[in-house]
Amino acid sequence: MMLRSLVASLLSVIAFNTFAAYPDKSIKFLVPWPPGGATDQVARLLVQPLTKELGVSVFVENKGGAGGNIGTQAFLQDKPDGYSILMATSSTNAAGPHLFANQGFDPAKDFTPVVLVCTIPNIMVVPASSPWNSLKDLMNDAKQNPGKFTYGSAGIGASQHLAGAQFKTVTGLDIRHVPYKGSGPAALDLMAGHIDMMMDTGSMANIKGGKLKALGVASEKRIPELPNVPTMKEAGAPMVANAWYGVMLPASAPKDVTEKLNKAFNKVLKDPEVQKSLQGIGAQVDGGSVAEFTKFSQSEIKRYEGIVNMSGAPKE
């Protein structure tokens, strides 16, 4: 009896020390998109406060390509010990299964959701030099010139792709899709005038900097950061399209590590400065429990089936 008690006590001590020891080295925050896009922006706004909260260095590593799939596949090859965490998105972990015949991973089975960070609405943006000053201008010109104009995206299945396809569906316009290896490169080509428009979640800084013009926000109501920009519905294209960003671990990640990361992220997301920074890029800050994000992420896979079908985006 005494031996059993001693063994139980030792196991409790080991379990406690394992939990208490994490983290004791740097944590890689993997972003499966190139630098500059919304996913990258969100992750980089979190690394400094996370470093302070966790007591170890948290750094971003970008690994883009194939609509976020290459980086996500690479992430799943890392050890599931919490020292490699993923900035998952609605593109990779909800829309992807309905857009790719062989995505290389199963969003429903291969991940442990940690926390929902934020959601950002897509904004219709055009170059500052564009002659279009309203969505009506754009739609009239595109109607008169079918197939002439282009919209960019971060790649097949990205939120920009789906929002652009949805825009084509609700307006009946013929606009050509130009996929890039991330929204950062797409935005650079947009500002240079190589493409004509983009529905984007990461262009707030360029809008405020006068490099891009915002013609409509794909949200239910106007957003505080752009109070004078109408919703897409107000501007003549009734649609809502946003993207969500959340932290995930591999499916076999330890529960105690998952809970500790959830607690840390929630504390960071409640910080007024962090909230201000995220709201500054047009984000609605979320947070919440592991269970809540698990339920949400699973339901989003089903919801995006309808969004993909409605958008008319072809399966790759």
Side-chain angles (χ1 to χ4, degrees), residues 29 37-47 49-50 87 115-121 123 201-205 208 223-226 243-247 264-287:
F29 203 166
T39 314
D40 182 64
Q41 292 177 41
V42 171
R44 291 183 187 277
L45 287 174
L46 296 174
V47 291
L50 275 173
M87 179 57 83
V115 67
L116 178 63
V117 174
C118 64
T119 54
I120 306 178
I123 302 172
T201 56
S203 291
M204 189 64 72
K208 292 181 177 180
I223 61 175
E225 289 297 310
L226 299 173
W244 56 258
Y245 306 84
V247 179
F265 270 97
N266 271 299
K267 189 170 181 180
V268 165
L269 291 172
K270 290 176 182 176
D271 184 292
E273 288 302 313
V274 173
Q275 292 188 349
K276 183 178 179 181
S277 296
L278 287 170
Q279 289 165 358
I281 63 172
Q284 172 190 307
V285 182
D286 291 296

Side-chain angles (χ1 to χ4, degrees), residues 223-257:
I223 61 175
E225 289 297 310
L226 299 173
N228 296 322
V229 177
T231 65
M232 294 294 287
K233 182 177 180 180
E234 289 174 328
M239 59 175 286
V240 173
N242 56 30
W244 56 258
Y245 306 84
V247 179
M248 292 195 178
L249 292 170
S252 55
K255 185 177 179 180
D256 56 354
V257 170

Side-chain angles (χ1 to χ4, degrees), residues 132 137-147 149 173-175:
W132 302 324
D137 291 341
L138 184 160
M139 291 191 294
N140 287 340
D141 211 355
K143 186 175 182 179
Q144 294 172 16
N145 299 276
F149 301 111
L173 297 174
D174 180 7
I175 304 170

